[in-house]
Amino acid sequence: MGLHRNPDSGRRNHRVSNHQRRLWRRIWWSCLARDRWLGFMLGRPMRVNMDDCDCPMPSPDDVVSELDELPDSIKSKYIHTTNDSFHLARYWVAILKLSTLLGEIISMNYRPNGARPTTSKIRKLDNEILEISEQVNDRSKETGRITTFHEYQLNLHYHATSIALWRPYISNDAKSIPPIEQEMMQTTAQKKVKDAAANTYVILDTVVAAEMIRFIGPITFILLGPTMHVYLLDLKSSSPLVRRMGLHKLEFFLMVMSELEDTYFAAAFTGELFREAISKLKNRAPSLSNDSSMLLTPESGQADQQRTRFNSFSDDDTLSNLGLAEFWDPDSSVYKGDNG
């Protein structure tokens, strides 16, 4: 269809209306954002190469102008004020910008044969992520519940992108970092990842407490995955308190997954993926078995259904076949029984 190309490349194409331009931009960039986040979660190659694309990024006006054309009877059901529509448009464009940065991060950090990143490149991306967040999180007027939820959703994108950037450098054997800078980068990475995970936990807790869980959609489970992985790694800690806190936080995330798994397959898939990972860790680390948790005992009648759904993705019940473990840390011994 050619949606990835700018219809006005070279000179303005008078056969394309402004309405079509706005629509094409929104469709194409929605596809690109989906490509980045699905590749991120599943550890699969990105399908879209930005070097092949010159379709301009949508602007908030592209969205607002379309919303203004909706009948008031429809618009009033979802958007309370003009202020709401303006903020929703800005949030969506910010998510597109974060998705573009996520593509750069995947190319830099997770390609087996990719160029090694420099500390200056890592910090540049970190500053760009922060800049996007600061530009959007300046809301001063009251907005409706839907708009407030989407602000939370935007911040989940922000924290997931930050974890993707810093996660490979929390160990002291990051091969791409000069030895003289490794200790400093490790300290920075650990703080960045822990802060992003903690903020994600707070956002989800706020969403549940405000009874906004009904607004959660499939993308939310992708955004929660990086934080759940951070807490999963806490289960390898030698500190009983850190292990118990990690288990407690994972339990909260899995409670939310269980609440929504009948509506979204992604919730059941993600929940069972992490239950299986926790089970493997418990089997290989006896100290974890002493930490009581309901994580591995779903409500009656749900366990067999979850197992059936999960096994439809895996013939031999091996986590690495699902891509997530390989994507996050291909050299990690988290599933191999290393308790160090």
Side-chain angles (χ1 to χ4, degrees):
M1 294 181 63
L3 294 178
H4 64 296
R5 296 306 308 272
N6 183 355
D8 300 317
S9 180
R11 62 179 181 176
R12 187 171 180 81
N13 188 341
H14 295 286
R15 292 177 298 176
V16 180
S17 67
N18 288 332
H19 173 79
Q20 287 176 311
R21 286 184 178 86
R22 292 192 295 265
L23 178 62
W24 291 355
R25 286 195 289 263
R26 295 201 309 274
I27 291 174
W28 172 249
W29 280 88
S30 295
C31 292
L32 185 138
R34 180 179 175 83
D35 173 65
R36 289 338 189 212
W37 289 100
L38 284 178
F40 173 63
M41 177 61 179
L42 299 175
R44 300 293 186 255
M46 296 178 291
R47 295 176 180 271
V48 178
N49 186 336
M50 291 298 290
D51 291 337
D52 297 327
C53 312
D54 62 356
C55 178
M57 181 177 289
S59 68
D61 288 340
D62 286 343
V63 181
V64 173
S65 61
E66 297 290 312
L67 292 175
D68 289 342
E69 295 175 6
L70 290 175
D72 291 339
S73 58
I74 296 176
K75 188 162 55 174
S76 62
K77 292 181 180 180
Y78 305 99
I79 301 172
H80 296 162
T81 66
T82 302
N83 194 45
D84 279 322
S85 62
F86 172 71
H87 285 298
L88 286 170
R90 291 178 70 217
Y91 296 163
W92 182 64
V93 172
I95 288 173
L96 298 182
K97 292 178 180 178
L98 288 171
S99 302
T100 302
L101 292 180
L102 179 66
E104 292 186 44
I105 291 167
I106 293 172
S107 298
M108 180 181 73
N109 283 345
Y110 301 104
R111 279 182 171 166
N113 300 316
R116 291 184 175 183
T118 62
T119 54
S120 60
K121 175 64 173 177
I122 296 168
R123 294 189 184 280
K124 179 178 179 293
L125 285 169
D126 185 59
N127 289 334
E128 290 179 6
I129 295 170
L130 181 61
E131 183 179 349
I132 293 171
S133 175
E134 290 176 342
Q135 287 175 349
V136 177
N137 288 328
D138 58 356
R139 178 166 55 88
S140 57
K141 296 182 179 180
E142 290 296 322
T143 55
R145 282 169 58 81
I146 292 178
T147 303
T148 299
F149 171 79
H150 283 283
E151 182 181 8
Y152 295 145
Q153 188 91 320
L154 168 61
N155 282 307
L156 290 179
H157 281 83
Y158 164 71
H159 296 307
T161 306
S162 183
I163 292 176
L165 174 62
W166 289 102
R167 171 65 185 84
Y169 310 106
I170 62 174
S171 63
N172 58 9
D173 60 349
K175 300 179 178 60
S176 64
I177 305 301
I180 194 173
E181 298 179 357
Q182 280 191 2
E183 183 176 355
M184 180 183 64
M185 285 294 290
Q186 182 184 14
T187 300
T188 301
Q190 289 174 347
K191 184 179 187 304
K192 293 278 188 179
V193 167
K194 287 292 185 182
D195 286 350
N199 288 327
T200 298
Y201 181 91
V202 170
I203 291 171
L204 186 61
D205 182 65
T206 302
V207 168
V208 172
E211 299 183 355
M212 294 182 177
I213 194 172
R214 63 191 178 93
F215 298 139
I216 287 178
I219 185 62
T220 305
F221 307 113
I222 294 178
L223 302 175
L224 298 179
T227 289
M228 294 177 72
H229 187 267
V230 171
Y231 293 136
L232 183 68
L233 295 182
D234 281 347
L235 303 192
K236 294 188 66 185
S237 172
S238 59
S239 167
L241 180 60
V242 172
R243 292 198 306 269
R244 289 179 66 84
M245 286 299 295
L247 209 54
H248 167 75
K249 291 175 180 179
L250 280 170
E251 185 172 42
F252 171 61
F253 280 82
L254 291 176
M255 286 171 59
V256 175
M257 302 286 177
S258 296
E259 187 75 14
L260 295 168
E261 63 186 12
D262 289 337
T263 305
Y264 296 112
F265 174 75
F269 172 74
T270 305
E272 190 60 23
L273 176 65
F274 279 93
R275 287 191 184 93
E276 196 71 14
I278 294 164
S279 177
K280 287 179 180 291
L281 281 171
K282 282 194 167 187
N283 290 338
R284 293 175 171 87
S287 59
L288 283 176
S289 299
N290 298 326
D291 297 322
S292 61
S293 175
M294 55 177 267
L295 290 172
L296 303 179
T297 56
E299 293 182 10
S300 176
Q302 291 182 346
D304 291 341
Q305 183 182 24
Q306 290 175 353
R307 176 65 63 184
T308 299
R309 288 169 170 171
F310 182 69
N311 283 345
S312 69
F313 265 79
S314 176
D315 294 333
D316 59 4
D317 203 35
T318 301
L319 282 172
S320 60
N321 286 348
L322 297 174
L324 183 67
E326 293 177 333
F327 179 81
W328 280 111
D329 195 356
D331 298 319
S332 174
S333 56
V334 65
Y335 304 112
K336 301 177 183 177
D338 180 5
N339 299 326

